[in-house]
């Protein structure tokens, strides 16, 4: 390489020290030419598409108006002439590469074409179909025989005169190879310096190219011309990858990385509010992110791809970069996602919206996207982590919701002792529907995300629901225990019996998908309902106990007050039961029906009173009358124990017989209806009748024994035991159970 052209400063020193040069004018001419050259290099920078000072109108510069013939005569000094010719040739080459028009051409263009400021909008409005794809093959411009200096090439790179800078780099690289072959190991220092200069210049060129590529999707119109040179440089360097003097790693990989950096800048630039400022911060951000992706890919499809040959696969490269960069971006966002709604928004965006027509499936990106994958590139295990986190959040959200249900029940009902609401004349709280709506909403949302997620969400909800009945019961007792035994306390119990039954029925819809969890929840609900009903039952038993104890007594026979009290309590309970849902109302009424019958009849077994002087007729009539009222009441309450209706009539028939001998003829219906009616029970009934001993007494007992043998104990149904559960008070009369033969003996010897 000519040292005079390699280093302008050295050129200046050598010119000053040349003894043959006697006139300073020649030096000034040479320096003037150098300054003109530098200005000619500086002006392309002003015209660079990326230059911030670039003007839209075409202006003919002073350097462009000057021609080589206008320069002052060259010095006869041969060295100076050589330098001047070299500089002029390089300046002319740079102008040709940048396509600077001559003054005549400028005038001609000015007459025929509108100014650039008017032409640019038309270029921007050019339809995509009118644009031609860049050719894959190209012809490399002529490489200069002698490269510019390192500083000059570096200046060209800085000013983004990339084609000229690259051609000079190639020239410098060829010169390096030639010198390496010629000198061998004779001058290793000079070769090492030149190799280092090559590496530094190539590094600067790559950095500049990567910067241009990175910014290209932000300023496509300004970078369009530069990208053509960028593509050709990358192609050429990929061809020369095995030759010494270049960079070791791939230029195509560097280009792809620059594309990714540009995508990263785009993604990072999407507005992200703090969640403290906007509760919908994530949904808003994801919406803006999707819009940015579509707009950027539309721009790539419409503008950028025409600046590259097909082998670059520009659109595909940008799509893959977005897949990867967005996946990384979402991974960084995940720790900030702490609420269920935000987690759903994130999963929905990943699993549904990203691939939908809103983003990657957008009509504006077709048909190019048809050959591309629309799936995000997520870190391994990240999606699984999100889904597991979603289930945990569902569980937490469900727990908080159930706690809030109890709080609302206290605030709206228990605190002010508010009457419970009615629906179709049934007492019912609103919370079963609220809970079911919440659960079903979570199930529906999970189904939109992933069908496999549905079962996990149902399980999470049911696991939290399983502990809800006991939590509710504890708080209910705490806040409403003092109301017992007021009617409002009874209404509350019936309300929650109905409400939890309704909740159980709602949850039964998930039986097929989660049978184990549903069964566990059912057991908890059943346990609570049983306990609520038992409390009501025990309260009723406690209320009617004193009145039932005075049945079948002397006072009972002459006074109806106790039965009226009993009847009143049953009627009030019957009114409450009208507000209870089936099947619990039938179960509850049946259990109370059995209790009343057992206690009412049981008074006959206590030997508290024995009818004398034909009072048994009045007693039988009263039993029959009261029994009809009791049967009607429990029928109204929807008791299923119709089999209990017979006992009162069967017993009143026996008690009401005037002729003692006729009693044994009326035992059969009683034994058939109640096979567990035994001898001790009959003795107690006969005692109440006023028949305590004697021959007829004995014959009646014998008849019962015979009838029981005929009916057989096997006919007793397990669920229809009445007398077997009754205790009989032992008769203290020692003669009451003597055999008839003993009485005959006593009569004979009296």
């Amino acid at each position: 390489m000519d040292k005079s052209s390699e280093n302008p400063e050295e050129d200046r020193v050598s010119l000053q020290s040349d003894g043959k040069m006697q006139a300073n004018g020649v030096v000034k001419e040479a320096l003037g030419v150098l300054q003109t050259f530098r200005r000619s290099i500086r002006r392309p920078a002003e015209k660079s598409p990326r230059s911030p000072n670039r003007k839209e109108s075409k202006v003919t510069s002073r350097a462009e108006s000057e021609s080589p013939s206008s320069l002052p005569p060259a010095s006869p000094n041969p060295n100076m002439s050589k330098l001047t010719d070299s500089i002029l040739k390089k300046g002319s080459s740079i102008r040709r590469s940048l396509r600077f028009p001559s003054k005549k051409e400028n005038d001609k263009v000015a007459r025929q074409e509108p100014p650039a400021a008017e032409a640019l909008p038309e270029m921007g409005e050019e339809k995509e179909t009118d644009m031609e794809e860049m050719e894959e093959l190209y012809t490399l411009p002529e490489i200069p025989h002698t490269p510019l200096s390192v500083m000059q090439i570096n200046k060209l790179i800085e000013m983004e005169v990339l084609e000229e800078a690259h051609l000079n780099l190639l020239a410098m690289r060829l010169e390096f190879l030639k010198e390496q072959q010629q000198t061998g190991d004779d001058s290793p220092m000079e070769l090492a310096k030149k190799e280092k200069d090559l590496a530094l210049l190539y590094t600067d060129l790559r950095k500049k190219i990567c910067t241009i590529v990175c910014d290209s999707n932000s300023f496509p119109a300004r970078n369009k011309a530069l990208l053509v040179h960028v593509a050709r440089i990358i192609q050429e360097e990929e061809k020369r990858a095995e030759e010494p003097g270049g960079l070791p790693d791939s230029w195509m990989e560097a280009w792809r990385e620059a594309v990714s950096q540009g995508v990263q800048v785009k993604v990072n630039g999407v507005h992200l509010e703090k969640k403290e400022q906007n509760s919908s911060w994530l949904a808003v951000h994801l919406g803006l992110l999707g819009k940015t992706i579509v707009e950027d890919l539309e721009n790539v499809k419409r503008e950028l791809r025409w600046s590259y040959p097909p082998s670059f696969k520009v659109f595909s490269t940008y799509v893959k970069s977005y897949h990867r960069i967005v996946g990384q971006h979402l991974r960084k966002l995940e720790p900030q996602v702490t609420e269920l709604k935000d987690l759903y928004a994130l999963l929905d965006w990943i699993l549904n919206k990203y691939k939908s027509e809103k983003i990657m499936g957008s009509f504006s990106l077709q048909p190019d996207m048809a050959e591309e994958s629309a799936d995000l590139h997520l870190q391994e295990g990240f999606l699984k982590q999100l889904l597991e986190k979603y289930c945990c959040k569902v569980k937490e959200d469900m727990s908080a919701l159930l706690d809030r249900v109890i709080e609302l029940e206290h605030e709206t009902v228990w605190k002010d002792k508010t009457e419970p609401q009615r629906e179709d004349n049934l007492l019912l709280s609103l919370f079963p529907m609220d809970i079911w709506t919440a659960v079903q909403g979570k199930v529906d949302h999970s189904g939109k995300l992933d069908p496999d997620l549905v079962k996990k969400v149902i399980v999470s909800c049911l696991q939290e629901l399983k502990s809800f009945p006991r939590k509710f019961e504890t708080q209910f007792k705490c806040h409403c225990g003092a109301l017992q035994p007021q009617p409002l306390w009874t209404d509350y119990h019936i309300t929650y019996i109905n409400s939890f039954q309704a909740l159980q029925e709602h949850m039964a819809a998930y039986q097929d998908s989660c049978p184990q969890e549903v069964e566990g929840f059912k057991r908890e609900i059943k346990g609570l309902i049983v306990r609520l009903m038992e409390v009501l039952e025990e309260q009723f038993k406690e209320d009617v106990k004193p009145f039932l104890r005075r049945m079948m007594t002397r006072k009972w026979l002459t006074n109806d007050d106790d039965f009226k009290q009993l009847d009143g309590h049953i009627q009030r309970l019957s009114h409450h039961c009208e507000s209870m849902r089936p099947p619990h109302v039938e179960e509850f009424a049946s259990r109370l029906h059995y209790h009343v019958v057992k206690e009412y009849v049981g008074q006959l077994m206590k030997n508290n009173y024995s009818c004398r002087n034909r009072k048994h007729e009045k007693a039988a009539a009263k039993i029959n009358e009261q029994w009809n009222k009791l049967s009607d009441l429990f029928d109204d309450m929807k008791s299923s124990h119709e089999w209990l209706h017979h006992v009162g009539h069967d017993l009143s028939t026996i008690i009401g017989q005037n002729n003692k001998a006729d009693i044994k003829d009326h035992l059969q219906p009683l034994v058939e209806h109640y096979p567990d009616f035994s001898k001790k029970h009959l003795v107690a009934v006969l005692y109440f009748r006023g028949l305590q001993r004697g021959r007829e007494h004995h014959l009646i007992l014998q008849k019962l024994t015979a009838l029981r043998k005929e009916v057989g104990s096997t006919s007793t149904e397990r669920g229809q035991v009445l007398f077997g559960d009754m205790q009989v008070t032992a008769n203290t009369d020692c003669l009451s159970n003597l055999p008839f033969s003993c009485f005959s003996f006593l009569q004979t010897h009296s």
Side-chain angles (χ1 to χ4, degrees):
M1 179 188 290
D2 188 356
K3 292 183 179 181
S4 64
S5 61
E6 181 183 30
N7 194 328
E9 300 299 327
E10 291 180 7
D11 290 343
R12 185 179 301 177
V13 173
S14 64
L15 287 170
Q16 290 174 351
S17 62
D18 192 344
K20 295 181 181 180
M21 293 181 62
Q22 298 177 2
N24 291 334
V26 177
V27 176
K28 291 179 179 179
E29 288 177 12
L31 292 175
V33 172
L34 283 171
Q35 291 168 359
T36 303
F37 169 67
R38 292 192 182 101
R39 286 197 301 271
S40 70
I41 290 178
R42 193 176 299 115
R43 288 190 183 97
E46 297 171 0
K47 286 192 153 193
S48 170
R50 289 164 53 84
S51 174
N53 299 322
R54 180 187 178 193
K55 297 182 179 179
E56 296 297 324
S57 61
K58 292 184 178 180
V59 179
T60 304
S61 66
R62 175 184 173 187
E64 291 170 343
S65 63
E66 293 178 359
S67 65
S69 60
S70 66
L71 292 172
S75 168
N77 185 304
N79 291 334
M80 192 64 239
S81 299
K82 185 178 179 181
L83 172 63
T84 304
D85 292 343
S86 174
I87 292 174
L88 290 175
K89 287 179 181 178
K90 289 178 176 60
S92 176
S93 174
I94 292 172
R95 292 188 188 97
R96 285 197 304 272
S97 70
L98 295 173
R99 299 178 182 176
F100 289 167
S102 65
K103 184 177 181 181
K104 291 182 179 180
E105 290 173 336
N106 274 336
D107 294 341
K108 184 178 180 181
V109 169
R111 288 193 301 270
Q112 294 178 356
E113 297 181 359
E118 298 175 9
L120 278 175
E122 295 179 5
M123 291 176 61
E125 295 172 2
E126 186 177 12
K127 293 183 180 179
E128 184 179 317
T129 53
D130 296 332
M131 302 182 75
E132 295 182 0
E133 195 170 51
M134 186 175 172
E135 293 290 339
E136 187 69 39
L137 300 177
Y138 67 98
T139 301
L140 183 68
E142 182 181 355
I143 299 175
H145 294 292
T146 304
L148 296 175
S149 69
V150 171
M151 291 181 64
Q152 290 170 334
I153 296 173
N154 188 61
K155 190 67 175 177
L156 290 173
I157 293 172
E158 288 179 3
M159 294 187 301
E160 299 177 353
V161 187
L162 300 183
E163 183 183 36
E164 194 69 19
H166 182 239
L167 290 173
N168 278 276
L169 265 175
L170 291 177
M172 187 176 175
R173 191 169 172 183
L174 291 173
E175 189 178 71
F176 167 75
L177 292 174
K178 184 178 179 181
E179 291 178 6
Q180 190 180 46
Q181 292 171 358
Q182 289 176 351
T183 60
D185 298 331
D186 293 342
S187 55
M189 295 295 293
E190 292 183 11
L191 286 175
K193 181 179 179 300
K194 187 165 288 188
E195 187 176 21
K196 182 179 179 182
D197 289 342
L198 273 172
L200 290 173
L201 287 172
Y202 262 117
T203 301
D204 289 344
L205 178 62
R206 178 177 284 185
K207 287 180 179 177
K208 178 60 69 175
I209 285 175
C210 288
T211 301
I212 292 169
V213 172
C214 179
D215 296 343
S216 62
N217 56 341
S218 298
F219 309 103
R222 290 167 59 185
N223 290 328
K224 188 175 181 182
L226 276 174
L227 290 176
V228 174
H229 298 314
V230 166
R232 294 310 187 198
I233 291 170
I234 293 172
Q235 282 182 294
E236 187 64 27
E237 287 302 321
E238 284 290 297
K239 291 178 183 177
R240 298 172 182 264
E242 302 299 326
E243 298 177 7
L247 295 180
D249 46 346
S250 171
W251 282 75
M252 281 299 293
E253 285 302 318
W255 174 77
R256 294 189 188 99
E257 182 60 30
V259 169
S260 293
Q261 289 173 4
V263 169
Q264 185 74 66
V265 170
K266 282 281 187 180
V267 171
N268 291 345
V270 177
H271 180 64
L272 177 63
E273 292 183 280
K274 293 183 178 180
K275 54 185 176 181
E276 295 82 5
Q277 298 173 341
N278 187 350
S279 61
S280 302
W281 66 279
L282 185 59
V284 171
H285 175 69
L286 294 175
L288 294 173
L289 179 59
K291 183 180 179 183
T292 299
I293 293 170
V294 174
E295 289 176 351
D296 198 34
L297 290 178
E298 285 174 349
N299 175 58
V300 172
K301 179 174 178 285
R302 183 178 60 251
E303 298 284 347
L304 289 185
R305 68 170 179 171
W306 305 114
S307 299
Y308 293 93
S311 61
F312 277 69
K313 298 181 179 179
V314 179
F315 186 80
S316 178
T317 302
Y318 272 90
V319 168
K320 290 174 182 176
S321 294
Y322 268 111
H323 288 340
R324 182 170 56 84
I325 299 299
V326 170
Q328 294 171 356
H329 178 69
L330 298 180
R331 183 69 184 85
K332 292 177 182 178
L333 280 179
E334 182 270 332
Q336 302 178 48
V337 182
T338 56
E339 296 184 25
L340 183 63
K341 65 177 180 62
D342 293 331
L343 195 54
Y344 175 81
L346 180 59
L347 281 167
D348 183 48
W349 198 86
I350 291 172
L351 296 171
N352 298 322
K353 291 183 179 177
Y354 187 76
K355 295 183 287 187
S356 73
E357 67 281 355
K358 295 180 179 179
I359 305 177
M360 286 299 175
S362 173
F363 179 77
S364 62
L365 303 180
Q366 304 305 322
D368 300 63
M369 269 305 299
E371 299 178 359
E372 301 295 330
S373 169
D375 294 325
L376 275 169
H377 293 174
L378 298 174
Q379 180 182 342
E380 185 178 356
F382 178 57
L383 183 57
K384 182 181 179 182
Q385 175 189 340
L386 284 179
L387 293 172
E388 289 175 353
K389 185 176 180 180
Y390 184 81
C391 289
C392 291
K393 289 295 177 184
V394 165
K395 200 170 182 180
E396 292 176 11
D397 194 65
M398 197 69 205
S399 177
L401 182 142
L402 295 176
D403 289 343
R404 184 58 183 153
V405 164
I406 297 174
E407 290 175 8
L408 282 174
E409 202 69 13
H410 173 248
E411 292 171 4
T412 60
V413 181
W414 304 336
K415 184 179 179 181
D416 299 324
K417 299 178 178 58
T418 307
E419 289 285 340
Q421 297 185 7
R422 291 182 180 270
E423 184 178 313
D424 297 332
N425 201 39
L426 299 176
L427 292 170
L428 192 66
S429 180
L430 297 177
F431 72 77
M433 181 57 69
D434 295 338
I435 292 173
W436 177 81
T437 302
V439 173
Q440 190 59 40
K442 297 180 194 309
V443 172
D444 291 342
H445 282 121
S446 62
K448 294 175 183 177
L449 297 176
D450 184 356
D452 295 334
L453 185 62
V454 173
K455 182 175 180 180
K456 295 178 182 178
V457 167
I458 295 173
V459 169
S460 298
C461 291
L462 288 173
Q463 285 175 346
E464 282 303 312
L465 273 170
K466 189 175 181 180
S467 60
F468 176 64
R470 287 193 178 273
K471 287 182 180 179
F472 188 94
E473 180 183 17
T474 300
Q475 293 300 314
F476 173 55
K477 286 181 177 179
C478 176
H479 294 292
C480 299
L483 294 175
Q484 188 175 3
Q486 299 176 30
L488 184 60
W489 177 85
T490 304
D491 282 344
Y492 282 168
H493 278 71
I494 294 174
T495 299
Y496 299 130
I497 290 170
N498 293 342
S499 299
F500 277 95
Q501 176 62 27
L503 183 59
Q504 177 185 314
E505 291 172 1
H506 288 317
M507 295 302 112
Y510 308 119
Q511 178 75 37
D512 294 339
S513 55
C514 303
Q516 186 175 350
E517 287 74 19
V518 170
E519 287 301 320
F521 178 64
K522 278 184 177 179
R523 285 193 296 271
E524 292 299 319
I525 291 286
K526 183 178 180 180
L528 173 61
I529 291 176
V530 166
R531 291 191 294 274
L532 291 174
M533 290 178 65
E534 284 178 347
V535 171
L536 286 178
E537 186 178 343
E538 291 302 318
Q539 184 59 52
F540 174 78
K541 290 178 181 179
E542 191 67 25
D543 291 340
V544 299
K545 183 178 180 179
F547 311 114
L548 283 170
R549 288 175 62 180
R550 290 193 283 270
M551 297 294 107
M552 311 306 162
T553 61
R554 188 187 306 276
K555 180 184 177 184
W556 164 79
L557 191 59
T558 59
N559 191 309
D560 290 334
D561 290 345
D562 290 322
F563 184 80
K564 287 179 180 179
Q565 289 289 339
L566 174 64
D567 180 71
H569 278 285
I570 296 174
Q571 286 193 38
R572 283 192 291 275
L573 188 62
S574 176
H575 175 72
H576 284 297
C577 286
E578 290 176 358
S579 304
M580 188 182 294
R581 291 184 58 187
H584 300 297
V585 62
E586 292 88 350
E587 180 185 350
F588 184 62
S590 299
R591 281 159 57 175
L592 296 182
H593 187 187
Y594 181 85
H595 174 76
V596 170
V597 167
K598 178 186 169 186
E599 293 300 314
Y600 185 93
V601 174
Q603 303 308 310
L604 289 171
M605 309 300 155
K606 294 182 178 180
N607 296 331
N608 290 329
Y609 180 69
S610 180
C611 297
R612 300 180 185 277
N613 302 321
R614 303 185 67 85
K615 290 181 181 177
H616 63 278
E617 294 178 357
K618 182 179 180 181
K622 194 161 195 174
I623 290 173
N624 197 57
E625 179 188 356
Q626 292 179 349
W627 199 256
N628 285 331
K629 288 184 178 181
L630 291 175
S631 297
D632 290 342
L633 284 172
F634 286 108
D635 278 341
D636 293 340
M637 291 173 67
K638 298 182 175 60
S639 169
S640 60
H641 289 350
E642 293 89 354
W643 61 279
L644 293 174
H645 292 339
H646 306 291
V647 64
H649 300 302
D650 293 344
L651 290 173
S652 65
T653 300
I654 293 171
I655 294 169
Q657 295 300 317
N658 289 325
N659 190 345
K660 299 176 183 178
D662 294 337
I663 292 177
K664 58 181 177 295
D665 297 331
H666 293 85
L667 293 176
Q668 186 170 353
L670 183 61
V671 175
E672 288 178 350
H673 292 146
Y674 308 97
D676 59 336
F677 184 77
S678 65
K679 181 180 178 181
K680 63 181 179 180
H681 298 114
L682 181 56
V683 169
V685 172
L686 292 176
Y687 179 84
F688 180 80
R689 160 67 175 70
L691 183 59
Q692 302 176 15
R693 63 179 68 85
R695 182 173 180 276
E696 290 302 329
H697 185 278
H698 179 67
L699 292 174
I700 293 170
L701 295 178
Q702 283 185 332
K703 179 65 174 179
L704 175 66
T705 303
L707 287 172
R708 282 172 57 83
K709 288 180 180 179
E710 290 178 10
V711 173
S713 59
T714 55
S715 64
T716 304
E717 295 185 22
R718 263 325 262 180
Q720 295 187 357
V721 175
L722 176 61
F723 289 95
D725 290 340
M726 289 185 192
Q727 293 183 353
V728 180
T729 303
N731 195 335
T732 55
D733 187 349
C734 61
L735 299 178
S736 62
N737 291 324
L738 284 175
F740 177 71
S741 58
C742 294
F743 284 108
S744 300
F745 176 79
L746 290 173
Q747 290 175 352
T748 305
H749 294 83
S750 57

